[in-house]
């Protein structure tokens, strides 16, 4: 049975038992900052278990993408060393939200394994939670599993939790005995052993509790079922192998790695580990990138970067030269696309991200290696052989330099590693990174809204068609608490049964406006919804009293809504132009759409040349001029994807989506925002900046309509002012400035030559004025010089002409004097320039010194300069006599 059939059989089995088939959610848990990645099939259903959300079904079945490479469930270090652990895998699961419980769950699972997949009963074993006699009875009496094939395990093994908080409960697991050849062979080997013999296939969790942030378990409103079975493990078993890597999910990937490495899988234990790690990691990498995660230095992106680097590292063991990984991620796209369209949609993008990261890493390895060598040399010089844990961590953290590589190098050179220090630094980093992804920008829904939402409160959005509507007040909140009414001066949050107010989402700001009625007025300053069914108007009561059940009039500020629509439609045009000009690897990575301006973040790897940027801007403006119609359509999600409508990285879209189209074929995007009805309304589009926001992500900021006109006016004003200054017309400004610059350059040259001539003249005068003292030519004079640099030049000049002698020069600056002394080499045995300057500087209340042939100094007593200079002659006379 191939893996596609295995997946399908699972889904159909549970559909036949009344389950709704639910598509896999993104690997990035939506609205759940408590989790790094979706790590189990139940994650997208968390709110159903907690009773915070209701859906049209109480039974569901899915094949969910999972990543276990961080947080509570982390199998990163197992990968390659077992045949059953992956970072990325698919979890097949069936769920009951307060519907059936243990008995049905166990019966349906057993039926599927034995009848559906035809697994021999005698190879199946089970485990239960220590005191779960109910589960024991079902397995033993109803199903007929013998007493000695049911194991009882404690908290650690048979109490399942999603993370530090969230739904949890006792569980029961089904194992398959793969035979003694597969296992560790120890006499103690049995179910629960760490080896691959008794393979855990399926975990049935009886979800009855919620773990609170303080660790306490509170019973859930109803009992639920959450089960999970690894597709890769099941495929291995059903296809007759004893390793996940032998299943059809991996064959093509390993085959390609063999081609790259020119060696075969299965020949050498150590190399096999590399094959497995690389195969596993390339799947994780492709899927994580397709779900919008980019390599970075924190949070989810950091985990992705580590996985990429780990794969490259293991590739080196096989002799693979980077970049090779992108070839494998591309193969993953081939293999997995039939089930996961998002991969194919991001094919080129995945490729570019991986290549880019591979290049970066080879630089990293280079820098890291030289740093490590330097440190080892200096340790060796001190007679030490222990590499500090802090250094290993720094290499790892800053350079992404794998600690095991450091270990290899250390071993080769008879060094060892302070692993304790490394672990400690790691632990600190881990805590910090947990904090950092907590602040990943995703807001948690405040409890109060969750409760209202769970109670079934709902606001209907009517703002696509109208900006004014009658509505009934269904809830009023004051400081986060529900109240019956609010009066003048109070800050409130108003929830209406229907509203034309657009609530902040999809990058577009929330509407502002007014809610009014009989003697009532509330100024609304923002509208939000979080991902709830509520439209929450935030504002202040400026007149009267508002009470629950009142009928009110909600009026959106029209000007601001229109301005915002200009910018929103413009982001769609911009994205279309970017894709046309730069290529379809361009994907939206974020946006902010306000009334004044817009910001658009997108994936691209290089700076956009100014000429290109102009082309892009022009293309948007041409589409504005064509006054293309903007239309919206609600359609099934699959239909939208078929029409190749652009979606932000696999947002959690419902079954029906809203598609905004511009013209016949200019742009088609999944979008819930408000738009103009024809592109001409936008008027004008003006890019004001382009830059990088992260590796591979760039940002364009732009203005539209009135904002763009104002911005241009500002620029024109500047130009006018400039031309007035330059006493010319705007179109002559550039010529005039160029002219000025040339003139300036000519003048500079003239000044230079005058200076030189002046110096020659001055030095000639000085040389004529030299005095001879005991046969030595001495010059000691005040000159005009701008500073020590000038003085030095001057000194050099005279020295060259004088051939033999002593030169002392002084110059006045602002409230200080500079001194310089030069002694020609033939005299340095007798005279020391440094000493002369030292004595002279003291006379002007300053300091100085230097070499025997050249010294500088100075002081603050400007009035003493003349005296000091005249003193030189006596100094030299005394010295040469004495
Ligand atoms: P194990 O003890 O083997 O690590 P687990 O107890 O961590 O498994 P659960 O959290 O109960 O596993 O997940 C449910 C099922 O998902 C498992 O029974 C197994 O089939 C599959 N599974 C769990 N972790 C992985 C993994 N890292 N790679 C592949 N499949 C996995
Ligand atoms: Mg595990």
């Amino acid at each position: 049975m191939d893996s596609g059939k295995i997946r399908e059989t699972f889904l159909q089995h549970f559909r036949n038992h009344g389950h709704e088939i639910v598509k896999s959610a993104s690997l990035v848990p939506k609205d759940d900052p408590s989790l790094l990645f979706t790590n189990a099939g139940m994650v997208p259903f968390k709110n159903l278990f907690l009773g915070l959300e209701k859906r049209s079904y109480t039974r569901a079945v899915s094949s969910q993408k999972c990543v276990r490479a961080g947080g509570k469930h982390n199998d990163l270090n197992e990968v390659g060393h077992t045949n059953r652990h992956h970072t990325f895998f698919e979890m097949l699961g069936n769920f009951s939200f307060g519907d059936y419980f243990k008995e049905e769950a166990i019966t349906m699972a057993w039926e599927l394994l034995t009848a559906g997949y035809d697994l021999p009963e005698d190879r199946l074993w089970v485990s239960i939670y220590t005191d779960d006699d109910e589960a024991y009875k079902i397995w033993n009496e109803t199903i007929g599993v013998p007493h000695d094939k049911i194991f009882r395990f404690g908290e650690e093994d048979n109490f399942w939790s999603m993370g530090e908080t969230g739904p949890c409960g006792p569980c029961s697991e089904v194992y398959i005995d793969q035979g003694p050849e597969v296992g560790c062979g120890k006499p103690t080997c049995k179910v629960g052993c760490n080896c691959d013999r008794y393979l855990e296939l399926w975990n049935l969790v009886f979800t009855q509790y919620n773990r609170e942030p303080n660790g306490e378990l509170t019973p859930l409103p109803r009992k639920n079922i959450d089960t999970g079975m690894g597709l890769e493990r099941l495929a291995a078993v059903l296809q007759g192998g004893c390793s996940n890597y032998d299943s059809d999910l991996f064959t093509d990937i390993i085959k390609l790695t063999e081609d790259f490495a020119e060696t075969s899988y299965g020949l050498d234990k150590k190399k096999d580990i590399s094959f497995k790690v690389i195969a596993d990691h390339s799947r994780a990498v492709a899927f994580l990138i397709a779900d919008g995660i980019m390599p970075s230095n924190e949070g989810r992106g950091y985990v992705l970067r580590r996985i990429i680097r780990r794969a490259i590292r293991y590739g080196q063991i096989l002799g693979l030269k980077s970049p090779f990984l992108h070839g494998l991620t591309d193969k993953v796209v081939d293999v997995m696309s039939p089930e996961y369209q998002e991969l194919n949609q991001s094919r080129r993008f995945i490729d570019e991200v991986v290549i880019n990261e591979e290049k970066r890493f080879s630089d990293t390895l280079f820098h890291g290696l030289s740093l490590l060598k330097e440190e080892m040399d200096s340790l060796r010089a001190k007679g030490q052989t222990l590499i500090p844990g802090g250094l290993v961590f720094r290499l790892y953290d800053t350079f992404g330099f794998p600690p095991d590589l450091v270990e290899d190098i250390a071993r080769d050179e008879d060094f060892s590693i302070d692993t304790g220090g490394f672990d400690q630094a790691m632990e600190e980093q881990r805590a910090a990174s947990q904090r950092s992804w907590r602040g990943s920008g995703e807001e948690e829904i405040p409890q109060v809204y969750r409760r209202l939402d769970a109670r079934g409160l709902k606001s209907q959005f009517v703002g696509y068609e109208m900006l004014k509507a009658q509505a009934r007040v269904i809830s009023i909140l004051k400081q986060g608490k529900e109240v019956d009414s609010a009066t003048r001066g109070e800050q409130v949050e108003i929830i209406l049964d229907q509203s034309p107010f657009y609530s902040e989402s999809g990058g577009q700001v929330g509407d502002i406006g007014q809610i009014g009625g009989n003697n009532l007025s509330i100024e609304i300053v923002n509208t939000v919804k979080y991902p709830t069914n509520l439209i929450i108007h935030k504002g202040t009561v400026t007149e009267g009293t508002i009470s629950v059940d009142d009928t009110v009039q909600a009026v959106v500020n029209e000007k601001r809504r229109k301005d915002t629509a200009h910018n929103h439609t413009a982001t769609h045009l911009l994205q279309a132009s970017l894709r046309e000009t730069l290529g379809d690897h361009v994907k939206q990575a974020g946006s902010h759409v306000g009334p004044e301006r817009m910001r658009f973040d997108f994936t691209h790897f290089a700076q956009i040349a100014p000429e290109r940027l102009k082309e892009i801007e022009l293309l948007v403006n041409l589409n504005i001029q064509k006054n293309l119609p903007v239309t919206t359509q609600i359609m099934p999600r699959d239909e939208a994807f078929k029409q190749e409508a652009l979606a932000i990285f696999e947002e959690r879209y419902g079954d029906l989506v809203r598609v905004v189209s511009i013209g016949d074929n200019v742009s088609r995007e999944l979008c819930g925002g408000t738009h103009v009805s024809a592109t001409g309304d936008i008027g004008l589009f003006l890019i004001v900046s382009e830059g990088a926001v992260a590796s591979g992500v760039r940002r364009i900021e732009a203005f539209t309509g009135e904002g763009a006109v104002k911005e241009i006016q500002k620029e024109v004003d500047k130009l006018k002012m400039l031309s007035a200054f330059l006493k010319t017309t705007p179109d002559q400004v550039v010529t005039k400035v160029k002219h000025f610059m040339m003139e300036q350059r000519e003048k500079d040259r003239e000044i230079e030559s005058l200076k030189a001539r002046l110096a020659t003249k001055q030095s000639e005068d000085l040389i004529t004025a030299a005095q001879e003292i005991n046969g030595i030519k001495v010059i000691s004079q005040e000159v005009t010089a701008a500073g020590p640099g000038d003085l030095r030049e001057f000194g050099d000049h005279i020295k060259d002409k004088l051939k033999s002698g002593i030169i002392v020069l002084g110059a006045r600056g602002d409230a200080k004097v500079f001194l310089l002394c030069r002694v020609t080499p033939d005299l340095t045995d007798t005279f020391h320039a440094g000493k002369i300057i030292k004595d002279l500087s003291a006379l002007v209340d300053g300091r100085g010194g230097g070499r025997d042939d050249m010294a500088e100094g100075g002081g603050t007593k400007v009035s003493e300069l003349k005296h000091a200079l005249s003193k030189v002659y006596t100094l030299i006379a005394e010295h040469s006599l004495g």
Side-chain angles (χ1 to χ4, degrees):
M1 209 188 260
D2 68 32
S3 49
K5 185 85 205 305
I6 297 172
R7 205 188 278 115
E8 198 46 37
T9 304
F10 189 93
L11 298 176
Q12 288 311 327
H13 174 74
F14 286 100
R15 191 218 272 277
N16 294 340
H17 284 287
H19 292 64
E20 173 93 7
I21 298 180
V22 178
K23 236 180 125 66
S24 174
S26 168
L27 284 168
V28 180
K30 195 81 169 84
D31 315 316
D32 191 347
S34 77
L35 264 193
L36 197 49
F37 298 112
T38 299
N39 60 10
M42 55 74 67
V43 170
F45 302 114
K46 185 178 156 189
N47 284 340
L48 289 162
F49 288 127
L50 295 176
L52 292 173
E53 192 187 332
K54 274 206 184 60
R55 293 198 191 162
S56 57
Y57 47 83
T58 54
R59 298 174 174 207
V61 59
S62 67
S63 176
Q64 172 64 46
K65 302 184 275 191
C66 295
V67 164
R68 291 191 171 182
K72 181 174 189 315
H73 292 280
N74 186 350
D75 290 332
L76 187 62
N77 293 324
E78 309 289 334
V79 173
H81 299 277
T82 72
N83 286 326
R84 62 186 197 278
H85 286 106
H86 301 300
T87 51
F88 169 86
F89 63 99
E90 290 173 77
M91 196 184 279
L92 302 166
N94 57 292
F95 308 92
S96 150
F97 313 112
D99 188 327
Y100 61 84
F101 202 48
K102 287 185 197 178
E103 175 139 8
E104 290 94 323
I106 291 176
T107 319
M108 284 188 273
W110 191 258
E111 181 188 299
L112 177 60
L113 289 178
T114 55
Y117 291 127
D118 214 13
L119 287 172
E121 281 185 30
D122 60 328
R123 281 173 59 201
L124 298 178
W125 298 63
V126 299
S127 72
I128 56 172
Y129 183 57
T130 345
D131 57 8
D132 193 351
D133 295 331
E134 188 188 352
Y136 177 84
K137 246 176 105 173
I138 301 168
W139 281 120
N140 185 244
E141 292 172 18
T142 318
I143 306 287
V145 177
H147 173 77
D148 58 350
K149 289 182 80 178
I150 304 174
F151 284 75
R152 287 178 189 256
F153 292 132
E155 285 268 325
E156 170 109 18
D157 292 302
N158 280 43
F159 193 94
W160 198 88
S161 318
M162 174 194 86
E164 304 310 331
T165 61
C168 54
C171 62
S172 175
E173 298 170 328
V174 183
Y175 296 80
I176 185 155
D177 181 1
Q178 307 206 76
E181 329 73 70
V182 179
C184 57
K186 293 185 190 138
T188 49
C189 181
K190 58 179 169 98
V191 169
C193 179
N194 250 345
C195 75
D196 282 328
R197 173 168 177 179
Y198 293 97
L199 177 69
E200 177 189 324
L201 264 187
W202 204 344
N203 190 357
L204 317 176
V205 186
F206 312 126
T207 312
Q208 329 178 21
Y209 303 105
N210 182 33
R211 198 182 290 280
E212 304 288 342
N214 64 8
E216 227 169 82
L217 292 179
T218 50
L220 289 174
R222 280 163 315 168
K223 292 177 177 172
N224 309 287
I225 290 293
D226 151 29
T227 86
M229 169 153 63
L231 172 68
E232 298 74 9
R233 293 188 189 183
L234 183 62
V237 168
L238 293 177
Q239 292 167 10
C242 358
S243 159
N244 291 5
Y245 297 93
D246 294 337
S247 73
D248 62 344
L249 289 159
F250 287 89
T251 1
D252 289 353
I253 304 166
I254 290 185
K255 174 79 189 47
L256 185 61
T257 316
E258 288 179 325
D259 292 348
F260 285 169
E262 295 176 359
T263 174
S264 298
Y265 175 59
L267 297 179
D268 170 328
K269 269 219 156 73
K270 184 157 182 235
K271 287 192 171 164
D272 284 354
I273 294 179
S274 285
F275 273 108
K276 292 188 236 175
V277 169
I278 294 166
D280 173 88
H281 287 10
S282 42
R283 292 191 345 138
V285 170
F287 274 94
L288 285 170
I289 296 173
D291 275 355
I293 298 169
M294 292 288 282
S296 78
N297 282 333
E298 53 176 32
R300 297 176 176 128
Y302 183 64
V303 177
L304 171 60
R305 175 162 282 167
R306 273 188 67 194
I307 294 178
I308 294 176
R309 297 188 163 185
R310 207 158 174 267
I312 299 171
R313 250 291 286 151
Y314 278 89
Q316 290 174 338
I317 296 175
L318 295 182
L320 292 175
K321 292 254 178 324
S322 234
F324 68 89
L325 189 63
H326 68 106
L328 295 171
T329 49
D330 204 52
K331 180 55 78 184
V332 174
V333 176
D334 290 342
V335 177
M336 302 301 283
S337 276
E339 192 57 29
Y340 297 98
Q341 306 156 354
E342 67 268 27
L343 287 177
N344 207 14
Q345 283 167 3
S346 303
R347 186 190 285 273
R348 277 195 42 200
F349 180 61
I350 295 170
D351 206 53
E352 291 213 41
V353 174
V354 178
I355 293 192
N356 204 46
E357 196 61 17
E358 290 193 82
K359 286 195 191 132
R360 251 177 107 111
F361 188 48
S362 46
D363 294 345
T364 289
L365 278 178
F366 179 77
H367 291 306
L369 266 177
S370 50
L371 183 65
L372 178 62
K373 275 195 96 62
E374 240 169 64
E375 294 278 341
M376 280 167 63
D377 285 346
S378 90
L379 284 172
R380 200 180 285 117
K382 286 186 259 173
Q384 296 169 354
T385 56
L386 185 71
I387 302 177
L391 172 66
V392 183
F393 177 75
R394 193 149 52 88
L395 282 168
Y396 166 73
D397 194 46
T398 331
F399 295 97
F401 202 79
D404 47 347
L405 181 58
V406 180
E407 237 168 277
D408 288 350
I409 297 168
R411 210 178 305 115
D412 292 348
E413 309 225 1
D414 287 327
F415 274 80
S416 52
I417 289 178
D418 163 25
T419 42
F422 174 75
D423 291 345
Q424 192 190 334
M426 258 319 257
E427 190 45 47
E428 282 161 17
Q429 209 280 344
R430 216 179 60 84
S433 97
Q434 293 227 340
R435 282 195 296 278
S436 92
W437 62 258
R438 260 169 203 292
S440 59
E442 286 168 26
E443 267 176 297
E444 205 171 358
I445 307 174
Q447 279 298 329
V448 52
Y449 303 139
R450 272 191 195 279
R451 274 200 301 274
L452 295 176
D453 207 28
R455 230 164 60 201
L457 249 54
K458 231 185 216 128
S459 318
Q460 169 93 13
F461 178 60
V462 295
Y464 290 133
E465 303 85 20
M466 46 192 162
L467 295 180
K468 232 185 247 172
Q470 289 268 330
R472 193 170 61 81
V473 179
I474 55 176
S475 179
I476 302 172
L477 299 172
K478 230 162 53 186
Q479 291 176 333
K481 290 207 171 58
E482 271 191 278
V483 293
D484 293 330
S485 64
T487 59
R488 198 189 149 117
E490 291 181 321
Q491 285 195 2
V492 287
E493 290 165 296
I494 308 286
I495 300 168
L496 306 175
D497 63 346
Q498 62 166 2
S499 169
F501 279 68
Y502 182 83
S503 41
E504 187 180 303
S505 58
Q508 181 179 329
V509 296
D511 275 332
I512 66 170
Q514 275 197 326
I515 292 180
N518 261 342
N519 298 322
L520 170 74
S521 174
I522 304 169
E523 205 56 44
I524 302 302
V525 293
N526 195 13
T527 311
V528 296
K529 69 171 178 195
Y530 296 97
T532 64
N533 293 311
L534 309 167
I535 298 173
I536 303 151
H537 309 79
K538 298 187 174 218
T540 309
V541 185
T542 51
E543 205 184 316
T545 300
I546 182 168
S547 307
V548 173
D549 276 339
D550 279 358
T551 297
V552 292
Q553 173 96 340
V555 186
V556 173
N557 179 317
E558 188 177 337
K559 164 101 171 67
R560 190 174 122 115
R561 163 73 84 83
K562 272 196 173 152
D563 288 345
T564 308
H566 297 159
N567 280 318
H568 202 153
T569 309
T571 61
H572 289 213
L573 286 176
L574 174 60
Q575 170 153 243
S577 300
L578 285 168
R579 287 168 68 88
E580 189 169 330
T581 319
L582 304 175
D584 54 13
H585 62 279
V586 168
K587 276 199 159 205
Q588 177 166 353
S591 70
H592 176 82
V593 178
E596 286 90 26
R597 56 158 71 204
M598 54 153 276
R599 186 177 77 211
F600 186 72
D601 295 349
F602 58 99
T603 51
H604 183 62
F605 295 92
Q607 195 191 349
I608 303 173
E611 284 311 309
R612 265 293 161 83
L613 207 57
K614 270 200 241 166
E615 244 177 75
I616 292 162
E617 189 181 64
L618 183 64
L619 200 54
V620 172
N621 280 301
L622 290 177
N623 280 325
I624 291 172
Q625 279 173 25
K626 285 185 195 147
N627 201 19
L628 303 165
V630 180
T631 51
T632 59
Q633 217 184 330
I634 307 288
M635 61 175 82
R637 181 172 59 173
D638 290 343
E639 175 62 27
F641 282 127
K642 228 176 276 161
Q643 295 189 7
E644 297 191 354
L646 298 178
I648 303 185
F649 289 113
E650 234 222 317
E651 273 242 45
R652 200 211 272 162
Y653 295 109
D655 292 336
L656 285 178
V657 294
R658 182 169 183 262
V659 176
V660 175
S661 309
I662 303 180
D664 279 341
N665 234 338
V666 172
S667 155
R668 195 168 289 134
E669 284 190 41
L670 266 62
C671 177
T674 59
H675 288 269
V676 299
S677 53
T679 56
D681 294 355
I682 301 170
L684 183 63
F685 174 78
L686 179 75
I687 293 178
V688 290
S689 76
E690 189 273 340
V693 272
S695 142
V697 183
R698 308 211 54 97
R699 168 171 297 172
I700 283 181
E701 288 182 292
F703 290 100
T704 57
E706 199 181 312
V709 174
K710 283 189 180 151
E711 191 60 23
I712 289 175
Q713 285 172 340
K714 237 170 48 194
E715 295 299 309
V716 171
D717 279 350
K718 272 190 230 160
L719 188 62
K720 281 186 183 152
M721 214 148 76
L722 199 60
S723 47
F725 267 136
L726 297 172
K727 299 204 169 45
T728 185
T729 52
D731 57 345
Q732 287 299 314
V733 163
V734 175
T735 326
K736 189 104 185 199
V737 169
K738 267 192 190 153
H739 175 76
F740 277 148
M741 281 168 67
M742 250 160 60
E743 229 175 54
Q744 178 72 30
R745 226 170 295 145
E746 238 164 66
K747 285 194 169 137
D748 283 348
R749 269 200 295 271
E750 212 169 296
I751 289 172
E752 280 307 307
S753 98
L754 283 173
K755 259 182 160 174
R757 274 166 57 193
L758 190 65
T760 318
K761 174 79 176 63
Q762 273 198 1
S763 51
E764 276 164 9
D765 290 354
L766 287 176
I767 290 170
T768 336
Q771 299 195 13
E772 256 196 44
I773 298 176
N774 300 324
I776 301 159
K777 277 189 231 155
V778 179
I779 297 172
S780 181
Q781 293 283 344
E782 181 179 340
V783 296
T784 354
D790 265 13
L791 211 53
R792 229 172 293 146
E793 234 172 80
F794 213 175
D796 280 350
H797 202 76
I798 301 173
K799 189 200 73 177
D800 291 345
K801 295 217 154 147
L802 194 62
K803 306 267 167 14
S804 168
I806 297 171
I807 305 149
V808 177
L809 300 176
R812 289 166 203 260
D814 297 337
K816 58 180 173 240
V817 297
F818 309 109
L819 290 169
L820 171 102
C821 177
R822 302 226 51 157
V823 175
T824 50
D826 55 315
L827 299 174
T828 48
D829 282 349
T830 333
F831 296 96
H832 192 282
K835 285 189 187 140
I836 297 173
I837 281 293
K838 202 171 161 210
D839 288 350
L840 294 186
S841 297
L843 293 176
V844 290
D845 274 5
R847 292 189 328 171
R851 302 191 311 246
D852 54 359
D853 65 331
M854 150 84 191
E856 289 171 298
T860 49
K861 210 162 179 188
V862 182
S863 58
E864 282 301 299
L865 177 61
K866 263 211 157 54
H867 172 231
L869 289 170
S870 66
K871 192 89 185 160
V872 173
Y873 302 107
T874 11
L875 261 176
I876 289 171
E878 279 165 14
H879 188 81
S880 56
L881 286 176

